[in-house]
Amino acid sequence: VEGNEGASEPRFSEWACQRSTPLKHQNDFLATQLEILQKYAEMKDENHDYSRALAFRRASCVVKSFPITVTNVNQLNGINHVGPHSKRVIGELLDGYCDEINRIVNEEWFEKMKMFTGVFGVGPSTAKKWIERGWTSIKDAQESTDISKDWRVQWGLAFHDDLMNPVKSNEAYRFTEIIQTEAEKILPGIVVQLTGGFRRGKHQGHDIDILFTHPNGEETGFLPKLLTRLEKLNMVLCGSHESSSFHEKVLSEDFKLTARGQLDHFEKWLGICKLPKDLVSGDDAQIPLSNGLEKCTEIKENVDSLDDYEPKAKKQRKCHGDNSPFTIATSERDWIARRVDFIMSPYSQYYYALVGWTGSKQFNRDLRLYSQKVLNRKLTSHGFYDFTTGKTLPANSETEVFENLNLQYQHPKNRNC
Ligand code: GTP
Ligand code: MN
Ligand code: MN
């Protein structure tokens, strides 16, 4: 049935997790503008409650999943999460001019905040400090001798030119294949899954997120071995390994849904890898996949003994200051620096981890809030806990995660809120 009022058919859920939010949608301009307000509110937020920022994000999320192009603000009447402020802004944008946004995008402070928070390891508070010091460019930070001790900031600055260049999906797929090949040698049967934005069908992103699990529960010690192997392949620039901090209480303990989202307790490695340039350049048609892989495995020595992979105790994590960052001009190296996240999940938690790490961040926020408010259950990347029965519900597929939540399955490509 064609409804010319648009908004009401089919029923437009207040929950983003009950809606489909594709990458390409009807209201790109409005969504982008609302997210400027979100970003600005996040940066201004002194008490870290992010409620203002989230309100704009929810409004943006609404227009992204709205079935038609919004041409009149009244089309959004009665739709949840489009509050008076967002409504006024949308009305002004549709009329051609929104003073509030116009002032923000012309603010030098906003420009600098975006620039500085674009550095790996730099959040709004560090960015503010840099601005207070009078720094106006990345170069100012790079040239300073009084910079954060944080390894992420140091390396993030040293390779900022590479890192600010978005990772393309081709790169992410090919890197994942290399990891798959190496991982399989270390631990046969290991599951290697590219997650994050690329799993949602994005064509570019700020990093490569790879989730691991092992069906037989043999995952202990795998990540350090993988890192040792990648170091031998000369593919690691720096990084930090975190052991699992999971304990059963994590599933059930009372929790507050923070606007910033929740950190999980998985074992992980966050860092910067070196991707061979010829793996990165060109497109699939010109460079057969195998070339990229061969180039990379060429460097390898034989891998017969698993002992080779044993991490040396001290090596547990390098790059926490003892190994000072350096720079090499792009033209003088055959690799490009890329942000990489490796996450290891126990098999019993894997499908919850997969949903959590596929994102988007906003989709997860919504799933978790829905779970808390509608189902009185706690959803995390580790599992799904029922406060009434005191039980956790297992899931043996991603579909089962949605079934447990009593939700229609949403394909990753429709989780782009
Ligand atoms: P781009 O990398 O910019 O393309 O976007 P992305 O969606 O991949 O974002 P990101 O790499 O930051 O995160 C991927 C998913 O993992 C998102 O849904 C995040 O919510 C989630 N995520 C990232 N870091 C953490 C973390 O420390 N804990 C948990 N639980 N989730 C995280
Ligand atoms: Mn990502
Ligand atoms: Mn990530």
Side-chain angles (χ1 to χ4, degrees), residues 195-198 205-209 341:
T195 57
F198 293 114
H206 92 283
D207 68 351
I208 305 175
D209 307 286
D341 291 340

Side-chain angles (χ1 to χ4, degrees), residues 126-166:
T126 303
K128 281 173 197 169
K129 280 184 206 139
W130 289 5
I131 293 174
E132 279 161 23
R133 290 176 175 189
W135 294 354
T136 57
S137 67
I138 296 288
K139 208 157 170 269
D140 288 340
Q142 283 168 335
E143 284 169 357
S144 166
T145 49
D146 175 26
I147 199 73
S148 162
K149 295 269 180 293
D150 190 322
W151 67 271
R152 296 173 304 167
V153 179
Q154 298 191 356
W155 288 90
L157 278 173
F159 288 91
H160 187 257
D161 287 356
D162 284 15
L163 299 177
M164 67 181 282
N165 222 305

